[in-house]
Each structure stands twice: as C-alpha cells, then as structure tokens.
Amino acid sequence: MIVCVAVVGHQNNPLYLQSFTEADDALKLHHVVHCSLDVIDERVNNPKRNAPTLNETFLGLLYPTENYKVYGYLTNTKVKFLMVTTDLDVKDADARNFFRKFHAAYVDAVSNPFHVPGKKIASRSFGARVSTIVKSFGSGTTV
Amino acid sequence: MEDYPEELRTPPVPLVSIVGCPELHASISAALSIQQPPMNTLALPDFSKANILSRTAKNRDPLAPPQAPSGILKKDWLLKHRTRVPAAVAALFRADQVSGDPAQWLQACSDLENLKSIIQGRHSKLVVILVQAQAGDELGEEVTVALRKRAEIDSKNLIVLVQNDETERNKSLLKLMSVFAELCSTYYKEEGRRIKARIEKRNFSSVELSVRYCFKVAVYAEFRRDWPEALKFYEEGIRVLREMIGTSTRLPPAQRLVEIKAVADQFHFKISTLLLHAGKVVEAITWFRKHIRSFERVIGSPEVAFLHWEWFSRQFLVFGELIETTSTTVPDTLSPRFGTADNALTEWEFQPAYYYQLAANYLREKRCALECSSSGANLTGDNGIPDSIMPSVYVGQYVRLFEQGDTISVLPLSDTEYTSYALSEAERFQDSYEIIALFRKAYESFQSLGGTRMASSCSAGMAIEYYAAGDFSNAKQLFDVVAGLYRQEGWTTLLWEILGYLRECSRKLNSLMDFISYSLEMAALPLFSDRVQSFSENKSKSGPAGWPTISRREDIQEEVVNILERKHTPEVVDGEFNLQLTEDNAHLDIDQISPLRIVLVASVAFHDQSVKPGSPLLVSVSLLSHLPSPVAVDQLEVQFNQPDCNFVMVSTEEGSSGLNSHFHGQVVQSTSLTLFSNKWMRLTHEIKSGQSGKLECLSVKAIINKRLVVCCQAESPASMEDFPLWKFEDQVETLPAKDAALAFSGQKLIQVEELDAQVDLVLDSNGPALVGELFVVPVTILSKGHAVHSGELKINLVDAKGGGLLMSPRETEESETHHVELIGVSTVAGDEVSKDEVDSIRKIQYSFGVVSVPTLGVGDSWSCKLEIKWHGAKSVMLYVSLGYSLDSSEDAALHRLNVHRSLQVEGKIPMIVGHQFLRPFRRAPLLLSRIRSSSGDDKKDSLAMNESNMLIVSARNCTEVPLRLHSMAIESDGDGMQLCSVEQISGISDEYAVVAPNAEYKGIFSVNPRAINPNFYLGEICVNWSRDLHLGENEDSHVIMKQRLPEVHIEEPPLLVSIECPPYAILGIPFTFYVKIHNSTSLLQEIKYSLVDSQNFVFSGAHNHAAFILPKTEHTFSHKLVPLGSGSQPLPRITVTSVRYSAALSPPTAATTVFVYPSEPKFNLEKSHSRSDECVS
Amino acid sequence: MGREVAGSCLDGVVMEMVSAYCGRFYAAKPELAAGRIEAIGFQVGHQLSERYTMDRPRFTDHLEAIKFICKDFWSELFKKQIDNLKTNHRGTFVLQDNCFPWLTHVSLDPSMESTDATESDPALLGDTAAQTTSMLLYFPCGIIRGALTNLGIPCAVSADMSNLPACSFVVRIKT
Amino acid sequence: MPPLTPPKSGDALFSSVERVNAELFTLTYGAIVRQLLTDLEEVEEVNKQLDQMGYNIGTRLVDEFLAKSNVSRCVDFKETADTIAKLGFKMFLGVTATVTNWDAEGTTCSFVLEDNPLVDFVELPDTCQGLQYCNVLSGVIRGALEMVSMKTEVTWVRDMLRGDDAYEMRVKLTKQVPEEYPYKDDD
C-alpha cells in the first residue's frame, strides 16, 4: 500500500506531501521523502552514467529504508514525484502506471489559473484525485 | 563484528595431530602450518597424552537415533572441531623402538592399539611415521609390514622420515603432508556425508537437529574449502530455522525466539561473509534483504521487543561492517538502471553508511522499546532477578546455576525471569553514544558521497541523541546546521521539528534571545499542512514542539509575549527553570538574509526619484509579518542616513510613554499600529530633508510589547525578493504598496537636489565682437542672500554650432588655429580686491579658464573682465559658472552651490578690404599675357613694366559701429622695394579717418614695376583700425589688419598705344589729336588701325589704316577734330590691331574722353595744363 | 483532450486583455502594461509546457527544448510549426513564423480602443493600432518565455514584427 | 444573404468556424483573471472588468454570428434567446445551453450550462470567493443582445465553481428598441 506521495519543486522544495497512514510516522515520511532527493540528484546528474535511459521520467526505486520503499519520477519541468510504499515487492509496471496517472493529475492541478507556479498545491480536487489513484495502486484498474 | 568468536569469523582450518617423538614436532607443525591450504597441528609428546583426543561425553553408538536435544547449536562445537578433533593422527616411532628389542616393540604395539581405540570413535585417520636417524641404516621389510598390520593402514600411510638428512627429511615431510591433506579431506568428506545422510534420510527427531546438521555439513564443507556446498547448507539451515519460529515449543516463547535469532545471526554472518569474500556483492545484498525481510516482523512479546530491535540493529551494523571491510565497489554493469526491473538494487545499498544509519535507527527503536518495557517492569515492582544466571552451552540460551550442597545443577529459566534478567542487562548499557557513533559514521560517509540530505538527517539523529542525553550545546550546534538546509529547501515541517528542539535547547541553555528568535521563527513558519495531523500529537515522533498547527503557532507566539510582559509562562510553572527577561529590553536585528525576515519585514519607498531640499517628500513604510496572531506595535522608528529625517510613529493606544526621550526628530501619533498576519501595514509619511545628496532609509525599528525591539533593515520594493519559506506557500501575492508603480519600482533611497543659489551672475557684452580686437566681457557676481566662500568661476568657450572646443580640427596645438581664444581675465580697475588675488587664475587654456573668486559677504559684488580674441568670424557660446559654498566649513565644502550663465557672442569681420589696378593715363600697353590667358583660368593682374600703374585699395566697414581708420599702407618685403616702387598718392589726411558703417574708404597707390616678373609679390595691405570710442583712447585697442595682395604679372608690352590730345576743347574749335604707336620690339610690326565715327565730332583723315612700324620706332597718326557737343565727350573710338600678335588694342573709354567747353573758359590755361601733365607723368 | 472553441473567442479575449491593460489601466505607463501582458503569457506558457511535455522523456539540452517549442508546442497552439529557426550557438535563437496567426486575425477596429481618449482622432488611430499590435506581441513572448523557463531554461524573449504578418521571436538564454 | 437559405445547425455552425485549442483559450482566460486579481486587488472591480471585456467581445461576436449562421432577424426576445442558446454557444464554445425558467411576461429567462470550457481546471481559492469567474460570458450576452437592440441585465444564479450543479445566468430584458437592426448582412 502507498503510505505517502509527494511533489517536490525544482528547488527541492516540497509542493505537495500527503501521507496515507494512520500511524503517526508522518514526520518520518517527510524525512524519508526528503532524503530520497539525494538519490534523485545522484541518478539524474551523475556524469559517469550516459545510458540511453538517462532521461526517462521514471526513476524507479530510489531506496528502501526501514519498511518503506521510495519510488521516484522526474518530469521534464524538473518537478519530482515521490511515492512511498510499504509493499514488499512492487511491480515496475505498477509504479510506472501510478506515476503516469499522478502526472496527469498534477498537470491539471497546475493548470488551475489560481495556482502560482512553484508554489504549494492547495487544490482539493487534486487531493481527491490523488487519493483515488493511490487507492487503485497495484490493482490494474485505471482512473 | 568483533563480538563474534574468532572461530566464527575466520575460515576453518583442518586439524591433525602428531603423537610421540616430541623433538620432531616443531619442524613438522611448522611445515604443516605454512603449506597451502594450511593445517593446524595438535602435538602430543607421548602416547599417554593421547586420551585428550577421546570423546568427553560417554561414547554413544552413533547409529542409535539421538534423543531430542535441549538446544540447537552447542557453543563449543565449532571450536572443538578446530582445536581438539583432529582429522588425522600420526603416530611417530623411532626405528630402534620397533626393531630389535621385543619389549620396545610390544610397547609400541600397545601404544598403537590404545591410540587406535581412542581415535576410532572420531573416525579420525591414522598415519604411522617411522623415524630413522640416517637414510643409510637398514630397516627390515618385515618390521614395516608388521607395523602396518598392527596399525591396519595401507602402505602409503606409513611414512619413513629420515631425521638427520636434510634432503631426505624434506622429501618425507612433503609425503607426509600430501598424505595428511588427502586424509583430512576424506575425513571431512566422510563426516559431512554421514550427517548429510541423516538430513536426507530425515532420520532425526527434531528440527533443531536438522538445523544443527546443516550447520555441521556446512562447516565440514568449509574445512574442505567447498564454499558452494557450505553456502547451500547454511542457507538451508537458516530456512529451517525460520520455519522453527512457529513450530518449536521446546522453550518458553521469548527465549525460543532469542535462541533462534542468535543462531540465525551466526548463519547469516557466515553466509554474508562467504558471499562477500567470493566477491558476490549483489548476491550478498540481495541475501541481506531477504534475511531482513524474513526477520523484521518477528518481534516477539512487547516486553522483549527491545531484544529484537537490538538484534535487528546488529544485523545492519554487522553487514555494514562486512561491506566496509571487503571494500566492495558498485559494479559498473548495473549502475545505469538502479532501482528498476532490470536491477532491483539501489546505489545506497552498496554504501556501509546506509546500513549504519539504519542500525542507528533500529537502535533507537530498541531504546524506546526498552524504555516502555522497563517502565512496565518497574510498575510491577518485583525485582526478582535471579542471580547466577549465565549463558548455557547452547547458543542463545541462558540457564541459572542452582547449588544444593556441593552439587550444582543447571535449571531452565521462566520467561519472566529471563525477561527481567535481560532488562537488567540491557539497562546497564547506555545506547545513546552507540547511536551517536553510528550516526556519525553514516553522516561522514554520506557527506563524502554528496548525500547532503541523508547526511543532515543523520546529524539530526545525532543531535536528538545529544538532546536526549542532555548535552544541549552539542545538540544545538548540530540542529542549527540541519535547520539551515531545511530553511533553504523550504521543508517547513522538518524545520518546525528542528526549531522545536532548538527552542528547548536554548531554554535549557538559558539563552533568552535565541529562545525568542527561534520561537518567533516557529510562530511565523508556514504550515505545510496535510490533514493526518489531528491525531499525531506524539512528541517522540514529532519533536518537543508537537505537530505544526496554527494553534501551536499561536501558543508559541503567546509564550514569547508572556515572557516579554514578564507574565509567568506555563514552562516556568513546571519549574524546571525560569526564563527571565533580565535587561530591560530585548533587541532583534533582521536583515535580508535573516530567517526572521518572515517575522517582520519593512519595505520603504519614496514617492519621487528626487526632491528639492526642504520641500515636503512622501515616503511609504510598509510592514509585513507572518506571525499568526496580530502584533501590536507600540512604536515605530524610521531611521535615515540623514538623522534629522528620522521620525517615530506611536500608536495612540500606547501614547508616547514607551518613547525613548533622547530621540530627536518628529513624533507622529498614529491611531493604530497593529500588524495582521500576512497583511501589509502601509503607512505614508511626509518628511523634509534640508541636506542635498543621498537620502536613504536605513532601518525601521519596531518596539513590540514595550520590551522587544525589532530592527528591520529597510528594503526597496523594487529589489525585494520574496520570503525564503513563504514563497512556496500558495497564497495570493500582495504588494507592499497599493500603487503598482511604487510596489514594483519603489526605492528606499532618493537624491535630494542642492538648494538654488542666491547669487547673481551677470554677463554683459556690447554687441558683436570684431575679429582681431581684444573683446571684453564684463562679469559681475552679485550676492543676494548668500555669502560666497571659496568661490570659483569656470569659463568655457564653445562653438555655438556645437562641435565642442573652438579649435580647427587639424592643428590643435598651434594657438593661431584657434578661432577664438580666451586671453585673460582682469578685474575692473578701482575694485577693492587686491591684484594678486585676481591673478590667481589657476588655469587659462584657449577656450577654458578657472578663476578664483574672493570671499564675498552678503550683498557684496565683485566683477572681472574676460578678454577674448576672435581669430575668425565665428559665433561662440560663452559659459560662465560660479561654484561656491555657503561657508568655509568642511561639510559646507561638500555640497557647493552652482550658478550657470551663458552668452552667445558673434564674432564679426570688421572691414572688407578690396583692391583694383588701373592702366596708366591714356596709354594702352599691349599686354600679351592678357591675350594668352584668354582662357581666364588665372585672374592674375598683369602690369606693364616702367609704366606707373594705379592701385586702388578700398576698406568697407561691415559692422554696425563706426570704426576709425588710422592708417592704410602696402607693406612689401625688401627686394620688392627695388623691383617696384609703390607710393601712396592719396593717404589719410588727419590722424585717423572715421568710417561709418557700410561706408568705404579708398586709398590710391601708384605702382611702378621695374623688372619683368611673371608672378611678382607686391606685399600686403595693412589696415590699422579701432572702434570709434570717445572714452579711454588707448593704443592697444588699435588693431592691425593685414591682407595679402595677390601676385601680379609684370611684363614689357611690345606695342604701346598712347593718345595725345589737349586737356580740353572748345565747341566748334578744331584741335589735333595724335595716336602714337610705339614698337618696343626689335621686329617690324604690321598694325591695322581704325577710327570709328562719333556724332560729337567731325574729323578728317582716313578711317582705316595699315602700317608697318620699324623696330624701336614710333608711328604717329594725327586727326583734326571739331567738337560738335559740349561737356565731357568720348573721342572717336580707336582700335589698333597687331597682325603679328593678332591682338586688338583699344584704349579704355575712360582714358579717351575730353571735356568740351561751350566757349573759351576764363582761367589760366597754362596752369591747369601743367598740372594735368604732371598727373599724367 | 482535443477540445476546441471558436478562434474568435480566443482572439476576443486576448484583444480585450490587451486593450484593457493598455487603455483602461496603464494607459499612462505602457511599460507596466507590457509587463502584465507578458506575465499573463508567462503563466499560460508555463502551464502549457507542463501539459505538452507530459509523456515525453526529459530534454537533454537547450536545443531539444527549443525544437520542441518550434514543432509540437507551436502546432498544438496554432496548428502550424515555426517556419524558421536560427541560432548563433551562443544562447540566442530566432524563431520565425512567416504568418503569425494572431497578427492576421487580430482586428484593429477602433471600437477596441473604445476607452481611449484619442479614439476619434483618425491620425492617432493608426499608431494606436500599431501600438496595440506590439503590445499584443508581449503575450506570445510571455508564452514562450514561460514554457522555456518551466523547462529549466531561463531566458528573455522579444518579438520583431518589422515585416508583418511574419513575426520572429528572439530568445536569449540567460546563462 | 438571401433570406431563404435555412439557418445552419449548431454542429454545422461549429464545424464551419475556425477553431482553436480550447486549453489555450481556457488557460489564457484564467491567466487574465488571475492577473486582474493581483492588479486590482478588489474582487468586485475584477468582476466589473470581466463584464466589460465580455461586453466588448459580445458587440463584435454578434456580427460574426449573424454573418456565419444564416439566421435572419429574430422576431422577439424568446426566439433570440433560443438562437443564442442553441447556435450562439455552440458556434463559439462548442457547447449548448438550455433556456429555461421563463417568467410570465417572457422578458426574463435563464441560460443553463452543464459544460463550460471556460472553467476547465479552475478551482476558486478561498481568498477570492465572490469572484464571478465566468462574468465574461454574461458580458458577452449583454453586449451581443444590445447590438440587436435588446437592453438586458444578466446575473449569475448558479455557479459550479461554488459547488452548484450547473451554471445558470438570468437574463432580464429591460428595454427593446423596435426594429432598425444594424444588420450588415442585408446588403
């Protein structure tokens, strides 16, 4: 199950962070997400790697920690999506699929004229849409 | 890792034993230990010692099925097999022992038997070594055979060792080694096979045994260096072990888990070591993941949970250390696609730091679990910790010794007993330092890996431990650094947590200002709200400040206010200590980079770009605070770089009570100065600046709650960047000023212009300047209200048509080429100012000058004259500027006042001088050059030699003023004089002649050339003039104006026609009239001659003639004429044509008129006649 | 979503926006008006670039991004591509559209400057029209800048309409 | 235009006009509204400006509408309203409105929109409730009707952005100048 999703701006500032856990490890999740940015930096601008897949938006598993797994995604506009799950084995396809839907939701959210670029995403509809996507995670259904 | 037993950490080494002949042991064991693979040797000096090889336990029949064991692994099993259970035993006999003396032979046999029986139980192999002194001495075949029979070994296992012969001995030692090696491997193989057989046949009573067997098989495999097999069985063993967790019932649950994990620990250690040493990093990490996953959930009962977390943490620690020691590197093959389907691993997992950090986290888990359990235990209050509890012979088991009399029996423990024992053990440890150490290790290597965020979360971990351990200064130091990162990246929730700690630290360290600023920053922090937070008020999980909520922020702000107002804060009530505001007010400075900018920021903008001194000037001061609850500002002090502009706003609620008395400047009562959250408070105030120059707002000082003085550096709206943390918040932008222009381009500084001068500067000039004269422009400085100190005049001449300085572009260096020149400055005579002061002209260039002006009191005046000379007709702008300061003091000198005046002056040419040549009277020389130059390109005048030609010079006054002409002359250079005489015929009679504007003066000169010269320079016309002024007539005002005469062509005419007739005629009276043609050449000249009728005269003689004139002779025609009309009458027109030169020549009409009187005039003819002659000659 | 509306709606809104800012609000301060129009464009470009780069790998260099603007982005907006792209390889790009739709559509009828004081004066009408056009161009400039900025390329964009209806946009990348 | 040719259907009309990417339109309008909010600060002022813009647009759109749809002059307000709802909205926004809630005198009715391209992605922030986001539409209606010499007042009664189930604007005919339409298409 997904316990947390986050959107992080190109200045590595959090734009959206929602945890879906009843436990009170919300703060821990902030830490987990924040630390995972290191891995993204490592993967994206590491000169020694010039694989053809370098500029793919899906970054895969960033790192497992304690009982979380953090997955990452980097849009063309240098916005980072993070997804934290407690599932033991996550299918690559599922993760990709999740991020694709999430990205669509994000794009609509920032298309709200009242959303100021680079600022926190306060949209309720975005929140709602995200939680549906989160719920549908793993199950092949599409939102 | 160090706490694992040595035998576990190092790969097992085969063990052999040698018995008898102690003198040889050293060399043998040495040889064994150095060979590859090495063997350990257990050396027994003589056979009596052999018993130690025998089984300690009673010798069971191995085939009988073993009964259920009371543990999984014996602690000492591995050690035993490495130190006490040899795979092979060598019995050494000296040759003389077995040959000859039968008694010795029997002894040997019995020893051998005895040894055999001992090692049989262990299935150890037997080797017999016969030691010979020399290779030479014979050893009976039958002896060896007999010995072999006794020992029941085949021949190759009987080795003859020659003691004293080096080479022989080595040979036999080598043999021995190979034999040993072979026997060892067979031994371990057989042992392994035996146990494997049991596993395969599954003939064992309990899972424990199967685990144990797996362990043994694996170890035996290791003895044989058969790593894959070892790995296989270790893994198998741990799998079975994992299954046991549910099933086994042998021990009470808590201890059961402990035992299982202890064993699993060993298995895991073995497996990871094997994999890593085989260089299989990826497999190792994958294995570790599996291991962790399979055990992380088996925590057991809550009161012993801490044991689990401790164990769990150790797993990470150990694996991290293993990775570190085997110094693994990330295989490049899998680097590109970390964390995706084609490679599940991620980069951190190859870093020890990753494991250390997790180990630290789990150790923290342990600690808090421990805290819960121990608190629970204390509640029950029974300290029934049985003494004499000790580890049992089994791995991971504990028992207690029970003494009855002299018999000591070993009793199992109940879980409660065990738990309390474990608790007491655990409490003896101080985990904090362990955790800090782990975090530090992780921190350092993450830092070096460039994982700043990982690193800072580690140092946050450290800090929290320090905090927990009560080391607040260390904690604060670390927290401060971490806070920096979170501020920078705007992770407000994390920042909130850290600030919460910092706040507590500074409270504990009793540093009030820190406490206040941290509190204020927290209070002003934006909420990165996601909605879970209602139920997570668990301080341990979200720091001492709890979870950020608007109400928390308000509380914190409230708390600060209370401290400021010296109310008692709840923190003080719970009495751990007292934060008191000692000095009477607290002072905070906030600049552009301060994190407290979100608490209060001041933007200041002037409404104009520039202003006159003393004139009113609007300035907008806008304040913004993100504090949640309204802030009542008692007093606002706005400070400028010009202190007399400072002003203070006091909210009327407060009155001016809080106002510090020493303040000089204006005080304004403002109705209310309350800041509301995220709303700009916009104040506009009018100030006056008396001082010219820069006026900048430096800071805005707000006094809050009487005691808190917040001093904000003023910022210009134009250059104000948004708030580090709030900029990411989704809120509609608000501008410091309503007026958009001001909000975007407003500046906090302004230029105050200098005040306008109260001194008059008068330039007057009389009309246009005349080229060449010394033109004087009087300058008058007239003070009206300002005293003039250290004044100076700057004079500048500029071409009125632009073009900068007045120099002809070509030769700027020569002064002649300046069209206009500033000659000098002179004071008006009779001025009281002393001469030398005026002469202190610092610099006069051709078009620029600086003159210092004496100090003038109010109402005084001073004047001087600029003397300017024009070299050409040009219109010029004269710029004069007076700079002065109000008094001679320093600061006055800084801003000087300036007065500028300018005047356009035309430079005019005073008079135009022209000239004209005339022929000699009634003589017409034939000047060939005239004819040749019919083309007319050169207009050079030509003069006849030895004739007196006329030169008329005219000077026309082209100004508006009358001019005096003092003289007019032709100046020629020396030789010109001899070659040609020029004398003035009519000159200026008086000392000067006044020439009215546009009037013209003519001077007449006769020019007598004496030599032929194609281009002769006559000289130049000099006209000496001055303005016609009646007053002060001084010589130097005379101007000499020169104009060069063009060169003339002087030639000798070949023919000269001269006309002779009486000076006058009388009507009707005939007179004779001669035309003389003189041929001055040495050639015969043919000429044609014609006379045209004229109605005024009748005449006789032919109209046309042709004649030849001999060289150097003169031919004369004569006509009689009778005048028909009176008055001045033109004579009949004569034309002489020279055939040779084909040139016609006719005297000008002017020269051929005669005056005809109507009747005989009544005056002395002779006289007039003579005079006219004179003038002709 | 391939949703569409009539072109005249867009033209109308854009022209109204321009005239509102140049006429009603900042008639006196054209530079402020320009700033606002550009800002509006910036937001639109920012949002559109987010949309249109959604399912494509990240751009590796500036040129890729610029090409994207010229091709896909432009055709999404105007159903045509940029006709000509020039660069000096030192961070300056010139995107030329030989027939920029908005310059051809936009009707410069006087009613638009209805709030202008000078509206009645036919002489002034001409240059208010030209003015409006140049003001209008701040909008696409903003769009381009917004899009590129969002793609991580901070830059300055200016328009050159010296030969209408062709229009070229000059992109100077800030380094 | 020969009066015989029948009016086109809404769909035909929509497909006949030149169309542009709706996202561009929506986002542009949105950006304008946002900028107005920041510049004018007062929500009421923004509403006014939006209405003004709408009015100006309407005055121009009506010509295009009459030119493209072969609609002959409408006899009364009712018919006009229907034309706008069925054809006008379709032609320009690609959606149709329904006309309902006629009052007794037939001088007031409601245009109801279920779908409104103007508000895709839009979500009103709490800070600017009271903003009539779609005021440009009412402006257009007003302007257009005025061109066919019907003075009207248009007010919003339902707004999905405020959580209503549809968009409804109330159009009240205040004064109708009979005949003399400034039709271009009669010549």
Side-chain angles (χ1 to χ4, degrees), chain A residues 12-14 17 19 22 24 27 31 34 38-39 41 43 49 53 60-62 64 66 92 119-120 122, chain B residues 337 339 341 346-348 354 361-362 451 453-454 489 491 497 527 530 535 538 541 727-730 733:
Chain A
N12 287 324
N13 53 301
L17 192 150
S19 41
E22 291 314 301
D24 54 5
L27 186 64
H31 276 289
H34 184 246
D38 279 340
V39 189
D41 286 357
R43 292 220 181 138
R49 311 220 184 91
T53 47
L61 173 66
L62 298 182
E66 303 185 33
D92 230 30
K119 299 214 167 201
K120 212 172 75 184
Chain B
R337 292 305 284 142
T346 65
E347 38 281 85
W348 290 146
Y354 169 77
N361 285 343
Y362 286 118
R453 299 175 187 85
M454 285 283 199
E489 297 193 335
W491 286 73
E497 179 201 13
L527 294 180
D530 56 344
F535 52 79
N538 180 340
K541 293 275 176 119
K727 75 178 164 193
F728 300 128
E729 287 311 290
D730 176 50
E733 303 280 326

Side-chain angles (χ1 to χ4, degrees), chain B residues 39-112:
Chain B
M39 297 183 195
N40 292 337
T41 324
L42 177 60
L44 304 174
D46 58 54
F47 291 86
S48 56
K49 302 285 188 308
N51 296 333
I52 64 160
L53 301 180
S54 65
R55 266 207 151 89
T56 46
K58 71 259 169 278
N59 197 340
R60 264 200 295 105
D61 168 10
L63 301 181
Q67 63 275 63
S70 51
I72 301 173
L73 273 187
K74 280 247 182 51
K75 275 218 187 59
D76 59 350
W77 187 85
L78 186 51
L79 185 57
K80 192 176 74 191
H81 276 267
R82 293 181 54 147
T83 57
R84 297 211 317 281
V85 185
V89 180
L92 283 80
F93 298 101
R94 202 169 289 102
D96 48 21
Q97 282 181 303
V98 293
S99 58
D101 179 357
Q104 284 188 334
W105 168 253
L106 289 178
Q107 177 58 37
C109 292
S110 67
D111 290 346
L112 200 50

Side-chain angles (χ1 to χ4, degrees), chain B residues 643-644 646 660-666:
Chain B
D644 48 0
N646 296 2
N660 37 2
S661 54
H662 66 271
F663 177 79
H664 52 80
Q666 69 195 116

Side-chain angles (χ1 to χ4, degrees), chain D residues 22 24 26 47 53 71 93 104 114 126 168 172-173:
Chain D
L24 178 57
T26 313
N47 291 343
M53 290 184 174
V71 172
L93 296 182
E114 274 74 15
D126 314 337
E168 173 175 357
K172 184 173 188 306
L173 179 67

Side-chain angles (χ1 to χ4, degrees), chain C residues 1 3-9 13 16 21 24-25 36 43 47-48 51-52 76 79 105 139, chain D residues 14 18-23 27-28 32 34-35 39 49 56-57 60 64 91-92 115 117 120-121:
Chain C
M1 59 186 240
R3 185 168 188 163
E4 288 188 318
V5 297
S8 40
C9 296
V13 167
E16 269 317 305
Y21 271 100
R24 287 202 280 282
F25 310 148
R36 296 305 194 285
Q43 177 174 341
Q47 293 169 326
L48 287 174
R51 292 204 156 274
Y52 299 147
E76 284 279 4
K79 301 192 163 91
H105 289 190
F139 185 55
Chain D
F14 186 54
E18 180 197 3
R19 295 178 308 284
V20 297
N21 179 332
E23 284 169 353
L27 294 179
T28 304
I32 293 171
R34 203 205 99 257
Q35 190 62 45
D39 292 341
Q49 289 299 341
N56 298 347
I57 298 173
R60 267 171 291 147
E64 183 180 354
M91 167 170 167
F92 290 111
D115 181 13
D120 292 327
F121 326 118

Side-chain angles (χ1 to χ4, degrees), chain B residues 296-591:
Chain B
E296 67 188 339
R297 297 269 194 286
V298 291
I299 301 169
S301 61
E303 57 272 11
V304 289
F306 67 91
L307 289 172
H308 170 75
W309 293 122
E310 181 171 25
W311 178 85
F312 205 59
S313 152
R314 191 166 72 252
Q315 303 305 300
F316 283 87
L317 170 59
V318 167
F319 193 71
E321 283 174 337
L322 279 175
I323 285 194
E324 194 168 13
T325 47
T326 49
S327 67
T328 57
T329 53
V330 181
D332 289 345
T333 54
L334 39 78
S335 45
R337 292 305 284 142
F338 274 119
T340 51
D342 29 355
N343 162 28
L345 298 186
T346 65
E347 38 281 85
W348 290 146
E349 287 174 278
F350 290 84
Q351 304 299 344
Y354 169 77
Y355 300 94
Y356 296 147
Q357 174 227 2
L358 287 171
N361 285 343
Y362 286 118
L363 209 52
R364 279 161 78 177
E365 280 295 329
K366 177 226 169 174
R367 208 218 359 243
C368 75
L370 180 59
E371 275 153 9
C372 310
S373 340
S374 52
S375 61
N378 296 349
L379 290 182
T380 57
D382 67 301
N383 45 8
I385 305 166
D387 46 6
S388 71
I389 288 188
M390 54 169 286
S392 83
V393 297
Y394 288 103
V395 175
Q397 279 190 34
Y398 292 85
V399 292
R400 67 191 256 223
L401 296 178
F402 183 74
E403 324 191 9
Q404 254 170 347
D406 50 6
T407 61
I408 299 176
S409 58
V410 174
L411 300 183
L413 290 172
S414 74
D415 260 3
T416 45
E417 286 170 324
Y418 173 71
T419 308
S420 44
Y421 165 75
L423 265 176
S424 62
E425 283 299 299
E427 275 159 356
R428 296 204 278 106
F429 273 104
Q430 177 56 275
D431 289 318
S432 291
Y433 296 105
E434 179 72 3
I435 297 174
I436 291 172
L438 285 170
F439 272 132
R440 175 162 288 116
K441 263 169 119 181
Y443 165 80
E444 277 153 7
S445 58
F446 272 129
Q447 198 68 293
S448 62
L449 291 168
T452 51
R453 299 175 187 85
M454 285 283 199
S456 67
S457 84
C458 289
S459 51
M462 272 191 267
I464 291 173
E465 285 310 313
Y466 278 122
Y467 179 82
D471 180 348
F472 298 110
S473 51
N474 260 328
K476 185 165 177 298
Q477 205 173 343
L478 288 167
F479 279 129
D480 268 324
V481 179
V482 178
L485 176 66
Y486 294 154
R487 270 195 208 106
Q488 176 195 332
E489 297 193 335
W491 286 73
T492 53
T493 315
L494 298 177
L495 181 55
W496 170 274
E497 179 201 13
I498 301 298
L499 286 176
Y501 279 109
L502 278 169
R503 192 158 159 274
E504 292 311 312
C505 289
S506 41
R507 189 206 298 280
K508 300 285 196 313
L509 295 168
N510 213 340
S511 65
L512 178 70
M513 282 327 293
D514 289 344
F515 181 80
I516 290 181
S517 34
Y518 288 133
S519 305
L520 287 179
E521 185 178 358
M522 283 180 86
L525 217 53
L527 294 180
F528 195 85
S529 60
D530 56 344
R531 36 174 183 64
V532 252
Q533 299 342 319
S534 49
F535 52 79
S536 81
E537 271 305 328
N538 180 340
K539 299 237 172 183
S540 73
K541 293 275 176 119
S542 55
W547 188 265
T549 60
I550 188 71
S551 61
R552 280 295 296 150
R553 287 173 55 195
E554 284 161 355
D555 297 345
I556 290 171
Q557 187 180 352
E558 180 63 27
E559 198 180 327
V560 174
V561 171
N562 289 338
I563 288 175
L564 291 173
E565 290 172 349
R566 302 217 167 104
K567 287 192 196 137
H568 278 296
T569 60
E571 276 74 5
V572 178
V573 174
D574 72 29
E576 53 188 0
F577 78 99
N578 189 341
L579 251 188
Q580 269 302 353
L581 189 51
T582 51
E583 68 281 356
D584 60 356
N585 60 19
H587 192 282
L588 281 182
D589 280 312
I590 300 179
D591 57 6

Side-chain angles (χ1 to χ4, degrees), chain A residues 108 111-114 125, chain C residues 1 3 5 51, chain D residues 22-23 25-27 29-30 33 93 95 113-124 131-137 156 158-162 166-167:
Chain A
D108 285 354
S111 298
N112 174 5
F114 298 103
S125 57
Chain C
M1 59 186 240
R3 185 168 188 163
V5 297
R51 292 204 156 274
Chain D
E23 284 169 353
F25 169 65
T26 313
L27 294 179
Y29 181 69
V33 176
L93 296 182
V95 298
L113 277 170
E114 274 74 15
D115 181 13
N116 176 357
L118 217 51
V119 299
D120 292 327
F121 326 118
V122 176
E123 193 169 345
L124 282 188
L131 171 69
Q132 290 292 359
Y133 188 84
C134 302
N135 239 24
V136 72
L137 281 186
W156 288 94
R158 279 190 294 166
D159 184 345
M160 281 170 125
L161 291 178
R162 299 255 172 67
Y167 295 92

